[in-house]
Amino acid sequence: MANVIVNNIGDLNGALAEANASTTTPFQIQFGSDITGSPTVEVAGTIIQIVGNGHTFDANGGILLLIGPFGGVVDFDNTLAITLGGNEEEVGGQGTVTIAGVISDQTGSVGSLTINPVPIADPVVLSAVNTYTGGTTIESGTLQLTAGATAGSGPITFGSLGVGRFLPTLQIDAPVSGNQMFTNTLVNMMVGDRIDLLGVPFGTAQPVMLTSFALMVQSANGTETFRLQNPATTSFSASSDGGGGTLVTMTPTVGNMTPAVGNIAELNAAILAADSITTPGVYQIVFANDISLGTTALAAINLQPGVVLDISGDGHALDGGGTQPGLFVYAGTVGIDTLAINNMLARGGNGGSGTLGGGGGGAGLGGGLFVGANANVSVEDVTFATDGAAGGNGGDGGPSR
């Protein structure tokens, strides 16, 4: 096992770079003194253990630690105390980060934490009774609280970066016993956002809205109540989380805050409404039934910066009848789930005619789904059947001589 001792932020950046280049796993980094500063080196494809030896890591209101696109695993042990400054400090990325030490505010500051500041499904695991007060934002992926752990005393905000399988998830491992009130208020939950109650066996749990701002999950062993602030809907479903627990998911409420679309006119109106939004946030379109395009083409999706469009088919189908192209995402971040996209045809225009030669036919782009250069699209439980693309016919070149 490689073992590097660090005494300042420069040492820490150097140790992270050395770990990335090393073939030794796990790579151990030991604090030799308190360190202040924000690391600029991302973890890249390695396993790292960070041992605090009773010292403190103060990220000074910046990045606590990020894992880059090559993945990785980082464990902060329980001998390292972490303090948060007045700005949101970022942790997570494309791998698992576990923090066993206590996270607290800097003296005179209100510290806050941002989980997974990139669209990703990986977890950040907190396993201490943390005391920071500025709140936690789950931009994407999972914030996991092991049994007995807390996310400080501030609100937990569900962010807008995650779409599809990257949607924000709060996982609580502790079992429910008696009647409990969860410490943190849950803010800005959107359709598809989830609470994974690992300690509540599936089959015994039932989510019940007590008021518009209080969700109670009933189980055989007791209840867990969550305070909600600015929820997108007041509808929740319970399903198995695949690990023996219960996954509580916010679902659409037809005719309420997330209206469902039932025909091509309503779908196009909803797309154009999303295109017109300039305030960053998540906009949902939910299918009420199967939709056939008939003779009407779908409106193009062209979102403004910071706007996220989540299209939920809810198990329904979008059918082009063999004549219409499918979804066309010109720009923006879009998530599509539980939708069948069938019988779409993207056909290019025909070339023009001319006495000196006809023009070439236009390209048929997309088929069931076209993703533009300025678009970022994720899909989950989406199927494509009998979709195609074809170029247009060449133009008439006139009579031969």
Side-chain angles (χ1 to χ4, degrees), residues 104-286:
S104 62
D105 293 336
Q106 287 181 9
T107 302
S109 296
V110 176
S112 57
L113 199 60
T114 297
I115 306 298
N116 290 334
V118 294
I120 201 67
D122 294 290
V124 172
V125 183
L126 305 184
S127 55
V129 179
N130 299 298
T131 61
Y132 63 98
T133 59
T136 308
T137 298
I138 313 173
E139 285 291 0
S140 67
T142 298
L143 169 62
Q144 178 182 350
L145 304 178
T146 62
T150 65
S153 59
I156 295 177
T157 301
F158 288 71
S160 60
L161 284 181
V163 293
R165 66 190 180 91
F166 303 148
L167 283 166
T169 300
L170 171 64
Q171 179 177 322
I172 303 169
D173 292 354
V176 172
S177 179
N179 298 319
Q180 302 174 184
M181 173 69 76
F182 188 67
T183 301
N184 312 83
T185 299
L186 306 186
V187 180
N188 292 346
M189 286 192 74
M190 296 288 183
V191 171
D193 289 346
R194 298 166 286 205
I195 306 169
D196 187 353
L197 298 171
L198 194 66
V200 177
F202 176 64
T204 69
Q206 180 63 43
V208 176
M209 290 300 298
L210 300 178
T211 71
S212 297
F213 303 101
L215 167 67
M216 181 176 69
V217 180
Q218 300 173 323
S219 72
N221 297 322
T223 64
E224 181 99 40
T225 300
F226 299 88
R227 291 181 293 265
L228 306 180
Q229 180 179 325
N230 194 32
T233 79
T234 55
S235 179
F236 291 85
S237 66
S239 61
S240 171
D241 66 1
T246 299
L247 194 64
V248 177
T249 304
M250 177 173 278
T251 56
T253 301
V254 177
N256 188 8
M257 302 177 76
T258 307
V261 296
N263 55 53
I264 180 56
E266 293 175 351
L267 178 56
N268 274 344
I271 291 173
L272 293 174
D275 288 347
S276 69
I277 295 173
T278 57
T279 302
V282 178
Y283 183 84
Q284 284 92 28
I285 296 176
V286 181

Side-chain angles (χ1 to χ4, degrees), residues 2-87:
N3 191 331
V4 176
I5 297 176
V6 295
N7 293 294
N8 54 55
I9 191 62
D11 288 350
L12 180 56
N13 277 322
L16 291 172
E18 184 178 343
N20 290 339
S22 174
T23 58
T24 301
T25 57
F27 189 100
Q28 190 172 90
I29 299 173
Q30 297 208 33
F31 275 51
S33 61
D34 295 347
I35 292 179
T36 298
S38 182
T40 57
V41 176
E42 293 184 346
V43 175
T46 190
I47 299 173
I48 299 176
Q49 294 177 346
I50 299 180
V51 180
N53 294 318
H55 295 294
T56 298
F57 179 29
D58 179 355
N60 204 26
I63 293 172
L64 183 62
L65 185 130
L66 294 180
I67 298 177
F70 293 103
V73 175
V74 179
D75 292 329
F76 292 83
D77 84 342
N78 61 5
T79 66
L80 181 66
I82 296 174
T83 58
L84 305 180
N87 297 321

